[in-house]
Amino acid sequence: MALTSAFEAAIERITVDPILFGPLILCFAFFAWSQFTRRSLVPEDLPWLRKKGGFLFFGDIRLRFEGLVHVRDWLSDGYSNYSKQGKSYIYRTFVGTPEIIIPKEQVSWLLEYPDEAVSVHEMHREMMGADWTYGHPDIIRTNFHEHVIHRNLARKMTPAAIMEIWDEVVCSINDTWGYGTNEWKELCVYDNALELIPRISNRLFVGTSLCRNTEFLKGMCLYADDVFRSAALIGLIPAFLKPVLAPLICIPNKKHYAQSARYLVPFVEKRFADMDRKEKNPGWDWQEPNDYIQWHINQAKSEGRTQELEPDMVSRYTAMLNFAAIHTTVFSLTNIMLDLVGSDPAKGFWEGIREEVERVYAEEKGVWTKPALNRLIRTDSAIRESLRLRSFLTRGVKRKVLIPHGAYNKTEGWTAPQNAHIAVDAHSIHHDPEIYPNPEEFDAFRFSRPREEIEAKQGAIVDYEEVLRSKNLSMVTTGATFLPWGHGRHACPGRFFVSHELKMMFAYMVMNYDIEPLPQRPDNVWIGYNVLPPMKATIRVKRKTDTVRHY
Ligand code: HEM
């Protein structure tokens, strides 16, 4: 009796109190909306992973929650039951559209579609709430920073640019790892990566003065955090409420962008003034810097793009580039470091890298160039192996179908309707023993052993195919079985920079510091659909004697 009246009172309270009634209606509307849209966005004839019996309203809610909590088991199930048989299936993600997970054999089918038909950017617009989280709706419309990077980055990695990055690697590691040769210094690997990577990356993006401005860097890092966080929240809101709530959720994005823009906008204005002055007075002793800001301005000018030349827009695109570059590289560096330091010293990984780095550095007379860095094949292999084993993205090459009549998959005979989401289970591919024997083991030289064997045969008659295969094992080579950078024409263009950056960082570390091996590699953690490195793990480092010198 008491229970019934308490229940009635609660119902009455909920229905009359707008504070309780409003959210209740919103939740209901959200689930009703998603239920309504769910079926139309996937092919009717594909199997749903873990779908049990009835599948209406509450069945769908259960599926969403379980799919979020048991990502690892679910992907493993989907991989063995469908992907390994060359079949696609449907994964119910927590928010938004269910994903069509295709097997690796269908990746080339997906990537053959032009961007107007199957789009990575429209996927980002939806997944990242990019109309709001990026700070300006035109950024996701033009993606001009990506265009600039695709057009410039690899070509502008000149010997001078590589030496600039080396300089920042040396200074930033000296500043944070120190010079003490007597005492071990304890460092939190993640926090340290968060000091090193934004600074080194911004040496290339904006040059020396700003890359050492801690306030500027802090704003960039916080802004990058905000974009992730606000995207996750906005994903939970039904579409019709987004225009109202998303701008409120993105207030921190605005604040932290402004913290960096305070320095970056005047910096860009000064660049324009310098360019003007040089044009009017060609004898003036000033050279265009080789940094992202200059590439951006020159690219926009050559294409007659006026909006992209506004100082605030140059600054906003630079912030987006930081978003693409910072956490991706910070997570990767943390993983590689822990993988190497947490490996059994008897395996000789750290020593093998040290031997290689010291030999190449001496042979190249202490000057890092592209060919010299390409010779660091053990270091390259260790990075590729860690990216394989620990990639933070579980599903890769995500795309959204735009063609009104859908994307027809001839091999399997289904059509992904307009607005469908398609992805591939990169995590399971990277952990498949038939592709990577002993897939759970960090085998740092997995990819360099075959390359070293080929190199050892130099002079002898070598099978051309074998040489080609060994070249495809480099850390920047993507493929349907190696997806940490994505694959195809939208594969990460920043990877050519990351390759130089990380190799030089490891080179400097192994040549100048002793690092105490860890008894065990601390585990990564699954957070939703992502796998993140342990953020509190520490290592102990000590400067080698006789290395306190200036490079
Ligand atoms: C270890 C570090 C990094 C990892 C693991 C990584 C990974 C990725 C991935 C998975 C994609 C999406 C590919 C796809 O959708 O198929 C991507 C795109 C992109 N990345 Fe990276 N990235 C890293 C560092 C960087 C850096 C340092 C830069 C800038 C210098 C950068 C710039 C970009 C850009 C501009 C795109 C968009 C490309 C496009 O859509 O055409 N990334 N990255």
Side-chain angles (χ1 to χ4, degrees):
M1 186 68 189
L3 250 182
T4 320
S5 51
F7 180 72
E8 279 168 2
I11 291 290
E12 194 183 325
R13 170 111 202 275
I14 286 170
T15 46
V16 295
D17 187 341
I19 293 176
L20 294 173
F21 190 58
L24 197 76
I25 287 288
L26 285 187
C27 288
F28 185 79
F30 171 51
F31 285 119
W33 157 80
S34 57
Q35 182 69 22
F36 178 71
T37 50
R38 174 178 55 84
R39 287 187 185 282
S40 59
L41 292 179
V42 290
E44 288 295 328
D45 34 0
L46 281 186
W48 287 71
L49 191 63
R50 301 270 183 124
K51 178 190 163 189
K52 284 183 214 139
F55 194 44
L56 287 171
F57 199 71
F58 289 108
D60 187 45
I61 297 173
R62 194 207 63 219
L63 211 65
R64 284 161 184 262
F65 273 102
E66 289 187 357
L68 179 70
V69 177
H70 304 291
V71 184
R72 199 197 311 218
D73 294 345
W74 277 41
L75 287 178
S76 161
D77 246 29
Y79 193 67
S80 49
N81 292 333
Y82 302 108
S83 308
K84 284 288 271 183
Q85 319 329 316
K87 292 184 186 150
S88 303
Y89 67 92
I90 297 165
Y91 191 106
R92 188 45 165 140
T93 48
F94 185 66
V95 291
T97 311
E99 276 174 11
I100 303 169
I101 306 286
I102 54 170
K104 67 179 188 314
E105 291 78 8
Q106 297 302 322
V107 171
S108 53
W109 162 77
L110 182 66
L111 296 180
E112 267 164 25
Y113 278 103
D115 292 348
E116 311 76 65
V118 171
S119 166
V120 64
H121 292 133
E122 285 310 309
M123 186 77 187
H124 288 166
R125 182 195 290 275
E126 192 176 322
M127 252 174 44
M128 299 303 300
D131 287 316
W132 300 282
T133 55
Y134 286 10
H136 194 293
D138 285 344
I139 292 178
I140 186 67
R141 191 179 56 75
T142 67
N143 289 291
F144 190 65
H145 58 300
E146 295 182 3
H147 175 59
V148 174
I149 289 293
H150 275 291
R151 283 302 187 85
N152 292 275
L153 184 91
R155 283 191 301 126
K156 302 279 170 64
M157 274 289 142
T158 57
I162 292 175
M163 287 318 286
E164 292 253 336
I165 300 166
W166 175 240
D167 178 58
E168 208 54 51
V169 164
V170 171
C171 296
S172 59
I173 296 178
N174 284 347
D175 286 352
T176 57
W177 288 35
Y179 295 97
T181 52
N182 294 324
E183 305 261 302
W184 289 103
K185 177 171 181 173
E186 186 154 17
L187 289 171
C188 170
V189 183
Y190 176 79
D191 288 350
N192 183 237
L194 211 44
E195 284 182 274
L196 300 175
I197 295 298
R199 178 169 163 181
I200 299 167
S201 312
N202 275 286
R203 176 74 178 249
L204 182 74
F205 302 162
V206 294
T208 321
S209 62
L210 276 188
C211 89
R212 295 183 183 172
N213 176 331
T214 47
E215 273 297 295
F216 164 76
L217 293 182
K218 204 167 144 197
M220 282 292 164
C221 293
L222 290 170
Y223 169 76
D225 276 342
D226 295 334
V227 175
F228 281 119
R229 233 193 314 266
S230 53
L233 279 175
I234 291 171
L236 295 169
I237 305 174
F240 68 94
L241 281 176
K242 284 183 190 188
V244 182
L245 295 183
L248 300 177
I249 291 172
C250 293
I251 289 172
N253 308 33
K254 281 199 166 57
K255 180 179 147 207
H256 294 131
Y257 166 71
Q259 183 175 332
S260 292
R262 226 175 85 215
Y263 302 98
L264 190 48
V265 173
F267 179 86
V268 175
E269 286 168 345
K270 165 92 170 42
R271 181 68 59 85
F272 278 116
D274 287 345
M275 288 172 71
D276 265 2
R277 184 173 162 195
K278 180 77 181 178
E279 204 177 316
K280 286 178 192 138
N281 177 8
W284 180 43
D285 184 18
W286 180 82
Q287 275 201 326
E288 279 189 356
N290 182 19
D291 58 16
Y292 171 80
I293 298 292
Q294 198 62 47
W295 308 341
H296 180 116
I297 294 173
N298 292 349
Q299 194 74 40
K301 278 192 164 181
S302 72
E303 294 175 13
R305 304 175 77 129
T306 45
Q307 192 192 25
E308 284 76 19
L309 284 169
E310 288 164 18
D312 181 57
M313 288 308 278
V314 180
S315 161
R316 285 184 185 281
Y317 283 107
T318 311
M320 280 322 293
L321 190 61
N322 270 274
F323 167 70
I326 292 180
H327 288 86
T328 46
T329 319
V330 167
F331 291 155
S332 305
L333 173 61
T334 308
N335 277 327
I336 303 160
M337 184 63 94
L338 291 173
D339 283 333
L340 282 170
V341 182
S343 289
D344 179 358
K347 290 184 175 163
F349 295 151
W350 199 255
E351 279 315 307
I353 290 175
R354 193 196 311 278
E355 185 281 322
E356 174 181 79
V357 162
E358 284 179 348
R359 173 170 37 85
V360 174
Y361 192 66
E363 286 170 6
E364 299 286 340
K365 312 234 171 343
V367 180
W368 290 123
T369 56
K370 241 189 247 188
L373 291 167
N374 285 344
R375 292 180 61 201
L376 300 181
I377 56 182
R378 290 184 200 156
T379 318
D380 187 283
S381 171
I383 300 170
R384 182 175 170 99
E385 171 69 342
S386 181
L387 288 171
R388 171 196 73 80
L389 187 60
R390 318 278 181 197
S391 177
F392 48 87
L393 298 173
T394 46
R395 287 108 58 249
V397 205
K398 288 189 176 187
R399 301 289 185 267
K400 180 171 173 175
V401 177
L402 302 184
I403 338 171
H405 56 271
Y408 176 55
N409 184 298
K410 195 172 164 196
T411 318
E412 290 192 65
W414 46 259
T415 300
Q418 188 177 33
N419 295 325
H421 290 184
I422 306 180
V424 61
D425 172 6
H427 179 82
S428 302
I429 291 173
H430 292 154
H431 292 75
D432 182 338
E434 285 179 17
I435 303 172
Y436 299 103
N438 296 323
E440 301 307 325
E441 182 189 327
F442 173 73
D443 178 7
F445 300 153
R446 186 189 289 272
F447 304 108
S448 55
R449 259 180 242 114
R451 297 177 77 185
E452 292 206 63
E453 277 165 24
I454 297 272
E455 286 202 353
K457 286 190 206 162
Q458 242 177 19
I461 300 166
V462 178
D463 179 356
Y464 180 68
E465 290 269 313
E466 209 180 338
V467 176
L468 215 64
R469 247 197 324 275
S470 81
K471 283 202 188 307
N472 284 342
L473 298 177
S474 108
M475 66 172 272
V476 292
T477 311
T478 65
T481 55
F482 186 74
L483 297 158
W485 309 109
H487 186 40
R489 64 190 170 284
H490 289 291
C492 176
R495 66 192 192 279
F496 303 103
F497 166 66
V498 177
S499 155
H500 294 342
E501 177 186 35
L502 291 182
K503 282 182 191 170
M504 284 193 273
M505 291 177 84
F506 280 104
Y508 191 70
M509 289 168 185
V510 296
M511 287 196 290
N512 293 282
Y513 291 88
D514 288 322
I515 305 182
E516 199 176 56
L518 287 173
Q520 205 180 349
R521 203 267 189 210
D523 286 337
N524 279 18
V525 270
W526 283 70
I527 298 182
Y529 305 107
N530 299 313
V531 195
L532 302 187
M535 298 194 186
K536 300 278 175 229
T538 59
I539 54 169
R540 299 206 318 154
V541 303
K542 189 163 63 176
R543 187 87 185 197
K544 285 166 174 287
T545 44
D546 302 330
T547 61
V548 184
R549 60 182 179 255
H550 295 289
Y551 282 84

